[in-house]
Amino acid sequence: MQTKYLIWGALALLVVWIISGINTIPTLEEKVNASWAQVENQYQRRMDLIPNLVNTVKGYAAHEHSTLTDVIQARANATKVTITPETVNDPEAFKKYEQAQGQLSSALSHLMMVSEKYPDLKADQNFLALQSQLEGTENRISVARRDYILVVQEYNTRIRTFPGLLFAGMYGAKPKANFTATEGADKAPAVNF
């Protein structure tokens, strides 16, 4: 009677072992696929994000440059025209003086509006944010690749070792290719402004 229970117990353990082994290979294969999808997801994030960030920084830097250039030019124009007692009596010269001062006032008011809206000019902060996003994006890609490498290692180890190799044959499981960098990937991409 006790032998009968031992046999049933051994068969039950064998069935559990077989079921768990059968499920392990597809589960690991799905982890490999999901992990690679995450690597591709991070590549896509980089392709979507970086050009937009670079264009935003370029645009804001150009806006600041334009605003400051307008003020400097208007100031230079305003100082070119000097007012003398004769200028007051010469309507044409006085009009030029007023126009130069008006241009300076307009440029300064635009600068003041920008200054009120943005208490300090922000291009340097945008460049720092871009740098941070570039670093963060590359770190995310690196983490996703590392995770993929670890999952592939687990999968390949499972299908090449006992008892996984018994079940790998049932599925026709073959080792997965590990991540390899493309040629030239050891050189950082250039970001041009």
Side-chain angles (χ1 to χ4, degrees):
M1 182 83 139
Q2 203 171 29
T3 312
K4 184 176 169 184
Y5 290 125
L6 285 175
I7 292 173
W8 281 108
L11 286 175
L13 284 174
L14 182 62
V15 168
V16 168
W17 178 73
I18 289 172
I19 291 173
S20 68
I22 288 174
N23 290 334
T24 300
I25 303 297
T27 301
L28 287 175
E29 188 170 26
E30 286 304 313
K31 281 176 73 174
V32 168
N33 294 339
S35 186
W36 181 249
Q38 184 59 21
V39 171
E40 289 179 331
N41 179 43
Q42 293 306 323
Y43 285 152
Q44 186 64 49
R45 179 183 181 275
R46 178 174 57 185
M47 283 194 59
D48 294 343
L49 179 69
I50 301 307
N52 290 333
L53 285 173
V54 169
N55 287 335
T56 300
V57 170
K58 276 183 180 179
Y60 203 90
H63 168 72
E64 285 184 7
H65 177 61
S66 169
T67 300
L68 294 175
T69 302
D70 290 349
V71 170
I72 291 167
Q73 185 63 43
R75 181 181 172 272
N77 289 343
T79 58
K80 283 182 189 174
V81 180
T82 56
I83 192 159
T84 63
E86 292 81 30
T87 308
V88 175
N89 296 328
D90 182 0
E92 182 117 357
F94 193 73
K95 187 175 183 181
K96 282 183 181 179
Y97 177 77
E98 281 184 324
Q99 284 177 339
Q101 293 301 319
Q103 286 175 348
L104 179 58
S105 293
S106 175
L108 286 174
S109 68
H110 186 252
L111 179 63
M112 293 304 291
M113 182 179 68
V114 168
S115 178
E116 287 172 10
K117 193 171 182 182
Y118 307 101
D120 57 342
L121 297 177
K122 308 257 190 237
D124 62 333
Q125 292 172 3
N126 288 335
F127 280 101
L128 291 174
L130 173 62
Q131 184 179 16
S132 176
Q133 285 292 330
L134 287 170
E135 181 182 358
T137 297
E138 293 307 312
N139 285 340
R140 285 176 184 223
I141 290 170
S142 178
V143 167
R145 286 178 186 157
R146 182 203 64 211
D147 292 346
Y148 175 76
I149 289 166
L150 292 173
V151 170
V152 166
Q153 178 188 12
E154 181 182 3
Y155 176 82
N156 287 346
T157 301
R158 177 66 66 153
I159 67 169
R160 289 180 174 168
T161 59
F162 184 80
L165 66 94
L166 298 175
F167 302 111
M170 292 172 45
Y171 291 107
K174 299 197 182 331
K176 297 289 184 181
N178 218 328
F179 177 79
T180 54
T182 57
E183 190 173 324
D186 55 335
K187 294 170 183 58
V191 176
N192 297 317
F193 290 102

